[in-house]
Amino acid sequence: MKNLLNQTDRQEIISRINALTSDHKPQWGLMDVGQMLAHCQRPLELALTDPKPPRLLLGRILGPMAKEGVFGPKPYKRNGYTPPPFKVTDAQEFAPNKEKLLSLIERYPTEMPRVGLVHPFFGAMPLEQWGEGAYKHLDYHLGQFGA
């Protein structure tokens, strides 16, 4: 499975982001390209946060069941559920959000904490799984915009 911690896979994602323009339209969903770029920053910011927020009660109950669908090889369904902290509904500028997302992606392999990787919803996850999830999420949204 592709992984944002892998240099080749990370470079592929960076190239796809660089191919985006402010004129790109979504093939599905409600976000415009600026909103999508802002949305994609939020999981990366969570991953780079140390320490992570505490586990949510709902995550302790449902996280293990949902984890396989989110982190496994099966593609995300279009128009799936987005947790409220990750929703972006206000207007977003394209260029600054593109630059910030690229910066987070560049920081990802070197600044990810190596221990204590407990996701607030899914629980303990190895570093490899964080990288796979990050790649899968970015790939989904870039595909949403034909990149």
Side-chain angles (χ1 to χ4, degrees):
M1 198 163 160
K2 292 193 175 187
N3 191 314
L4 199 61
L5 297 167
N6 175 286
Q7 176 62 31
T8 303
D9 297 340
R10 191 170 53 261
Q11 192 55 53
E12 173 206 328
I13 290 290
I14 290 169
S15 295
R16 290 169 65 190
I17 292 169
N18 281 326
L20 288 171
T21 68
S22 61
D23 295 327
H24 271 84
K25 302 290 183 228
Q27 297 176 9
W28 69 87
L30 301 174
M31 293 186 289
D32 65 30
V33 69
Q35 291 169 320
M36 179 273 289
L37 292 168
H39 163 77
C40 286
Q41 295 167 30
R42 293 182 179 176
L44 296 176
E45 289 170 333
L46 172 66
L48 293 169
T49 299
D50 191 23
K52 307 273 181 269
R55 290 242 9 232
L56 303 169
L57 178 60
L58 187 61
R60 290 179 188 274
I61 297 166
L62 299 177
M65 292 180 284
K67 195 174 186 179
E68 184 178 320
V70 173
F71 294 99
K74 189 175 174 183
Y76 293 150
K77 292 180 183 176
R78 291 182 177 186
N79 300 310
Y81 174 75
T82 301
F86 295 97
K87 286 187 179 184
V88 177
T89 56
D90 53 327
Q92 297 288 321
E93 291 187 45
F94 174 80
N97 278 298
K98 180 177 175 180
E99 290 307 312
K100 184 173 180 187
L101 180 58
L102 289 168
S103 173
L104 287 166
I105 291 168
E106 287 293 338
R107 290 175 45 207
Y108 197 83
T110 57
E111 295 183 28
M112 269 294 291
R114 298 298 193 246
V115 295
L117 294 170
V118 179
H119 191 280
F121 187 81
F122 298 109
M125 296 180 2
L127 182 62
E128 190 75 11
Q129 198 168 38
W130 283 86
E132 289 172 357
Y135 179 92
K136 185 175 178 180
H137 183 248
L138 290 164
D139 177 61
Y140 169 83
H141 284 296
L142 291 168
Q144 178 184 14
F145 285 83

